Amino acid sequence: MRLGSPGLLLLLFSSLRADTQEKEVRAMVGSDVELSCACPEGSRFDLNDVYVYWQTSESKTVVTYHIPQNSSLDNVDSHYRNRALMSPAGMQRGDFSLRLFNVTPQDEQKFHCLVLSQSLGFQEVLSVVVTLHVAANFSVPVVSAPHSPSQDELTFTCTSINGYPRPNVYWINKTDNSLLDQALQNDTVFLNTRGLYDVVSVLRIAWTPSLNIGCCIENVLLRQNLTVGSQTGNNIGERDKITENPVSTREKTEVTWSVLAVLCLLVAVAVATGWVCRDRWLRRSYAGVWAVRPEPELAGHV
């Protein structure tokens, strides 16, 4: 019996079963990842004998495959075409791992690797399910300056974009690092055109003098917490900011002009000194017409 198409392989997969190994791997969006599917070291396979098939477990989408004496990959799904490859040299050594390039959020699913041997009556010699977890770093949260829609309430807005998977959002009282009641916040999380998550969280809280609030975006898969604060002072709208030196703008301007004045003075002194030295040197070195005029003979000299 010979198999000429992936469709016939699917019929066999439903009847020939072997113990399935399960693995998990993580990858960042845009990176390349290897999904491992390999026999014990030292194994050898004839590429004219083995049938290898990679598909997604749930949708049964064709990712890639190897069929003896058939180099066509027309049945590969367009999402994986030119992105999913196996190594012929590796397959001969029993390594049927899949190399997936330019990982996207849509790649987060289970991938099933199946290897059958024709010489063994199309017995399944290897079955591996690899769960691919996809992640992307969220941007550093941006917390808007608090504003007061009423005299008794403050509103904060926190925004972060281009992350994966779906984030958790927390508001923190940074004075004692306690979590604020999530009933006080309204989160909007949605997928953007890249398939990544954007999040906007609005916090409404009773007005309190010198309130120090932080917004935390948690990426559970990456075990990552990004926290940015916003602080209210006597004037509503004062934000935390990174400061270098407590020097006012006016003081900086005065210092700048002072430095420029000193530099100009030094340049003037240097120019004046140069002219004086030049004048003295010219008077010493210039002999005028005497430099070429012959000295007169002495009277009475023979």
Side-chain angles (χ1 to χ4, degrees), residues 213-248:
I213 293 294
C215 173
C216 176
I217 304 296
E218 180 188 26
N219 190 320
V220 176
L221 184 59
L222 296 178
R223 298 181 180 179
Q224 181 185 71
N225 293 315
L226 301 174
T227 304
V228 172
S230 184
Q231 185 174 10
T232 60
N234 294 329
N235 296 322
I236 295 175
E238 180 183 343
R239 286 194 59 190
D240 287 343
K241 56 182 72 175
I242 299 175
T243 57
E244 297 177 352
N245 292 305
V247 180
S248 67

Short mmCIF file of all heavy atoms in Angstrom, two decimals, residues 213-248:
data_model
loop_
_atom_site.label_atom_id
_atom_site.label_comp_id
_atom_site.label_asym_id
_atom_site.label_seq_id
_atom_site.Cartn_x
_atom_site.Cartn_y
_atom_site.Cartn_z
N ILE A 213 -0.66 56.72 43.45
CA ILE A 213 -1.33 55.61 42.78
C ILE A 213 -0.41 55.00 41.74
O ILE A 213 0.33 55.70 41.04
CB ILE A 213 -2.64 56.09 42.11
CG1 ILE A 213 -3.65 56.52 43.17
CG2 ILE A 213 -3.23 54.99 41.23
CD1 ILE A 213 -4.14 55.39 44.04
N GLY A 214 -0.43 53.67 41.60
CA GLY A 214 0.33 52.98 40.57
C GLY A 214 -0.55 52.08 39.73
O GLY A 214 -1.50 51.48 40.23
N CYS A 215 -0.23 51.99 38.43
CA CYS A 215 -0.93 51.09 37.52
C CYS A 215 0.01 49.95 37.17
O CYS A 215 1.15 50.19 36.74
CB CYS A 215 -1.37 51.84 36.26
SG CYS A 215 -2.07 50.76 34.97
N CYS A 216 -0.45 48.72 37.31
CA CYS A 216 0.37 47.53 37.05
C CYS A 216 -0.24 46.69 35.94
O CYS A 216 -1.41 46.31 36.01
CB CYS A 216 0.52 46.70 38.33
SG CYS A 216 1.42 45.14 38.09
N ILE A 217 0.57 46.42 34.89
CA ILE A 217 0.17 45.53 33.80
C ILE A 217 0.92 44.21 34.00
O ILE A 217 2.16 44.19 33.95
CB ILE A 217 0.50 46.12 32.43
CG1 ILE A 217 -0.14 47.52 32.28
CG2 ILE A 217 0.05 45.19 31.31
CD1 ILE A 217 -1.65 47.50 32.30
N GLU A 218 0.18 43.12 34.20
CA GLU A 218 0.80 41.83 34.47
C GLU A 218 0.70 40.91 33.25
O GLU A 218 -0.39 40.67 32.73
CB GLU A 218 0.14 41.15 35.67
CG GLU A 218 0.77 39.79 36.00
CD GLU A 218 0.00 39.02 37.06
OE1 GLU A 218 -1.22 39.25 37.19
OE2 GLU A 218 0.62 38.21 37.76
N ASN A 219 1.85 40.40 32.81
CA ASN A 219 1.90 39.37 31.78
C ASN A 219 2.23 38.06 32.49
O ASN A 219 3.38 37.81 32.87
CB ASN A 219 2.97 39.70 30.73
CG ASN A 219 2.90 38.78 29.52
OD1 ASN A 219 2.67 37.58 29.65
ND2 ASN A 219 3.11 39.34 28.33
N VAL A 220 1.22 37.23 32.68
CA VAL A 220 1.38 36.02 33.49
C VAL A 220 2.38 35.05 32.85
O VAL A 220 3.22 34.47 33.53
CB VAL A 220 0.02 35.32 33.69
CG1 VAL A 220 0.19 34.01 34.44
CG2 VAL A 220 -0.93 36.24 34.45
N LEU A 221 2.31 34.91 31.53
CA LEU A 221 3.18 33.95 30.85
C LEU A 221 4.65 34.32 31.00
O LEU A 221 5.51 33.46 31.20
CB LEU A 221 2.81 33.86 29.37
CG LEU A 221 3.56 32.82 28.54
CD1 LEU A 221 3.35 31.41 29.09
CD2 LEU A 221 3.13 32.87 27.08
N LEU A 222 4.95 35.61 30.91
CA LEU A 222 6.34 36.07 31.04
C LEU A 222 6.72 36.36 32.49
O LEU A 222 7.86 36.73 32.76
CB LEU A 222 6.55 37.34 30.20
CG LEU A 222 6.39 37.18 28.69
CD1 LEU A 222 6.57 38.53 28.00
CD2 LEU A 222 7.39 36.17 28.15
N ARG A 223 5.74 36.21 33.40
CA ARG A 223 5.97 36.54 34.82
C ARG A 223 6.52 37.97 34.94
O ARG A 223 7.49 38.24 35.64
CB ARG A 223 6.94 35.54 35.47
CG ARG A 223 6.42 34.11 35.46
CD ARG A 223 7.38 33.16 36.11
NE ARG A 223 6.87 31.79 36.08
CZ ARG A 223 7.52 30.73 36.57
NH1 ARG A 223 8.71 30.90 37.12
NH2 ARG A 223 6.98 29.52 36.50
N GLN A 224 5.86 38.87 34.25
CA GLN A 224 6.32 40.24 34.14
C GLN A 224 5.27 41.21 34.66
O GLN A 224 4.09 41.09 34.32
CB GLN A 224 6.63 40.54 32.66
CG GLN A 224 7.14 41.94 32.38
CD GLN A 224 7.29 42.15 30.88
OE1 GLN A 224 6.31 42.26 30.15
NE2 GLN A 224 8.52 42.20 30.40
N ASN A 225 5.71 42.14 35.50
CA ASN A 225 4.84 43.20 36.01
C ASN A 225 5.45 44.56 35.65
O ASN A 225 6.59 44.84 36.03
CB ASN A 225 4.68 43.10 37.53
CG ASN A 225 3.91 41.87 37.96
OD1 ASN A 225 2.89 41.54 37.36
ND2 ASN A 225 4.40 41.17 38.97
N LEU A 226 4.70 45.36 34.94
CA LEU A 226 5.13 46.72 34.59
C LEU A 226 4.28 47.70 35.39
O LEU A 226 3.06 47.72 35.24
CB LEU A 226 4.96 46.97 33.09
CG LEU A 226 5.74 46.03 32.16
CD1 LEU A 226 5.36 46.30 30.71
CD2 LEU A 226 7.23 46.19 32.35
N THR A 227 4.93 48.50 36.23
CA THR A 227 4.19 49.42 37.10
C THR A 227 4.68 50.85 36.92
O THR A 227 5.89 51.10 36.92
CB THR A 227 4.36 49.02 38.58
OG1 THR A 227 3.94 47.66 38.75
CG2 THR A 227 3.51 49.91 39.49
N VAL A 228 3.74 51.76 36.74
CA VAL A 228 4.03 53.19 36.62
C VAL A 228 3.10 53.92 37.57
O VAL A 228 1.93 53.57 37.70
CB VAL A 228 3.86 53.69 35.18
CG1 VAL A 228 3.96 55.20 35.11
CG2 VAL A 228 4.90 53.05 34.27
N GLY A 229 3.63 54.95 38.24
CA GLY A 229 2.83 55.67 39.23
C GLY A 229 2.39 57.04 38.78
O GLY A 229 2.92 57.64 37.86
N SER A 230 1.37 57.55 39.48
CA SER A 230 0.90 58.92 39.31
C SER A 230 0.50 59.43 40.68
O SER A 230 -0.22 58.75 41.41
CB SER A 230 -0.29 58.98 38.34
OG SER A 230 -0.68 60.32 38.12
N GLN A 231 1.00 60.60 41.02
CA GLN A 231 0.82 61.11 42.38
C GLN A 231 0.08 62.44 42.36
O GLN A 231 0.34 63.30 41.53
CB GLN A 231 2.18 61.29 43.06
CG GLN A 231 2.09 61.70 44.52
CD GLN A 231 3.46 61.71 45.18
OE1 GLN A 231 4.46 61.59 44.50
NE2 GLN A 231 3.50 61.86 46.48
N THR A 232 -0.86 62.59 43.30
CA THR A 232 -1.56 63.86 43.46
C THR A 232 -0.92 64.63 44.59
O THR A 232 -0.59 64.09 45.63
CB THR A 232 -3.05 63.64 43.78
OG1 THR A 232 -3.16 62.91 45.00
CG2 THR A 232 -3.72 62.85 42.66
N GLY A 233 -0.74 65.93 44.36
CA GLY A 233 -0.21 66.80 45.42
C GLY A 233 -1.29 67.78 45.83
O GLY A 233 -2.48 67.51 45.75
N ASN A 234 -0.86 68.96 46.27
CA ASN A 234 -1.84 69.98 46.64
C ASN A 234 -2.62 70.43 45.41
O ASN A 234 -3.76 70.85 45.51
CB ASN A 234 -1.13 71.16 47.30
CG ASN A 234 -0.52 70.76 48.63
OD1 ASN A 234 -1.04 69.88 49.31
ND2 ASN A 234 0.59 71.39 48.98
N ASN A 235 -1.94 70.37 44.22
CA ASN A 235 -2.60 70.73 42.97
C ASN A 235 -2.92 69.46 42.20
O ASN A 235 -2.02 68.66 41.93
CB ASN A 235 -1.71 71.64 42.12
CG ASN A 235 -1.45 72.96 42.82
OD1 ASN A 235 -2.34 73.51 43.46
ND2 ASN A 235 -0.22 73.46 42.70
N ILE A 236 -4.15 69.25 41.85
CA ILE A 236 -4.56 68.07 41.10
C ILE A 236 -3.86 68.08 39.75
O ILE A 236 -3.82 69.08 39.06
CB ILE A 236 -6.08 68.05 40.93
CG1 ILE A 236 -6.75 67.91 42.29
CG2 ILE A 236 -6.51 66.94 39.99
CD1 ILE A 236 -8.24 68.00 42.24
N GLY A 237 -3.31 66.92 39.39
CA GLY A 237 -2.65 66.80 38.09
C GLY A 237 -1.16 66.69 38.19
O GLY A 237 -0.49 66.47 37.19
N GLU A 238 -0.58 66.79 39.36
CA GLU A 238 0.86 66.63 39.52
C GLU A 238 1.21 65.16 39.38
O GLU A 238 0.65 64.31 40.04
CB GLU A 238 1.28 67.14 40.90
CG GLU A 238 2.79 67.02 41.16
CD GLU A 238 3.14 67.48 42.56
OE1 GLU A 238 2.32 68.17 43.17
OE2 GLU A 238 4.22 67.13 43.02
N ARG A 239 2.18 64.84 38.49
CA ARG A 239 2.54 63.46 38.23
C ARG A 239 3.93 63.16 38.74
O ARG A 239 4.77 64.04 38.87
CB ARG A 239 2.52 63.18 36.72
CG ARG A 239 1.15 63.07 36.12
CD ARG A 239 1.25 62.45 34.76
NE ARG A 239 1.86 61.13 34.83
CZ ARG A 239 2.25 60.44 33.76
NH1 ARG A 239 2.11 60.94 32.57
NH2 ARG A 239 2.79 59.26 33.89
N ASP A 240 4.16 61.85 39.01
CA ASP A 240 5.52 61.41 39.28
C ASP A 240 6.34 61.66 38.04
O ASP A 240 5.91 61.47 36.92
CB ASP A 240 5.55 59.90 39.58
CG ASP A 240 4.96 59.59 40.95
OD1 ASP A 240 4.84 60.53 41.74
OD2 ASP A 240 4.63 58.41 41.20
N LYS A 241 7.58 62.06 38.21
CA LYS A 241 8.46 62.26 37.07
C LYS A 241 9.90 61.96 37.51
O LYS A 241 10.23 62.02 38.69
CB LYS A 241 8.37 63.69 36.54
CG LYS A 241 8.66 64.77 37.56
CD LYS A 241 8.49 66.15 36.96
CE LYS A 241 7.04 66.46 36.73
NZ LYS A 241 6.83 67.84 36.26
N ILE A 242 10.73 61.64 36.54
CA ILE A 242 12.14 61.38 36.84
C ILE A 242 12.86 62.71 36.83
O ILE A 242 12.83 63.46 35.86
CB ILE A 242 12.73 60.45 35.77
CG1 ILE A 242 11.98 59.12 35.79
CG2 ILE A 242 14.21 60.23 36.01
CD1 ILE A 242 12.40 58.18 34.70
N THR A 243 13.55 63.02 37.93
CA THR A 243 14.26 64.28 38.04
C THR A 243 15.76 64.02 38.07
O THR A 243 16.23 63.02 38.60
CB THR A 243 13.85 65.05 39.31
OG1 THR A 243 14.10 64.22 40.45
CG2 THR A 243 12.38 65.39 39.26
N GLU A 244 16.52 64.96 37.50
CA GLU A 244 17.98 64.82 37.50
C GLU A 244 18.58 65.66 38.62
O GLU A 244 19.26 65.14 39.49
CB GLU A 244 18.53 65.28 36.15
CG GLU A 244 18.04 64.42 35.00
CD GLU A 244 18.54 64.92 33.67
OE1 GLU A 244 19.14 66.02 33.66
OE2 GLU A 244 18.35 64.24 32.66
N ASN A 245 18.36 66.98 38.60
CA ASN A 245 18.84 67.87 39.65
C ASN A 245 17.77 68.90 39.93
O ASN A 245 17.12 69.40 39.01
CB ASN A 245 20.13 68.61 39.20
CG ASN A 245 21.30 67.65 39.07
OD1 ASN A 245 21.62 66.95 40.02
ND2 ASN A 245 21.92 67.62 37.90
N PRO A 246 17.57 69.28 41.19
CA PRO A 246 16.51 70.24 41.52
C PRO A 246 16.92 71.66 41.18
O PRO A 246 17.06 72.52 42.05
CB PRO A 246 16.35 70.03 43.03
CG PRO A 246 17.69 69.61 43.50
CD PRO A 246 18.26 68.78 42.39
N VAL A 247 17.16 71.95 39.89
CA VAL A 247 17.57 73.28 39.44
C VAL A 247 16.45 73.85 38.59
O VAL A 247 15.99 73.20 37.65
CB VAL A 247 18.88 73.20 38.63
CG1 VAL A 247 19.28 74.59 38.16
CG2 VAL A 247 19.98 72.58 39.47
N SER A 248 16.04 75.06 38.87
CA SER A 248 14.94 75.67 38.13
C SER A 248 15.41 76.08 36.75
O SER A 248 16.61 76.20 36.46
CB SER A 248 14.42 76.91 38.88
OG SER A 248 15.41 77.92 38.89
#
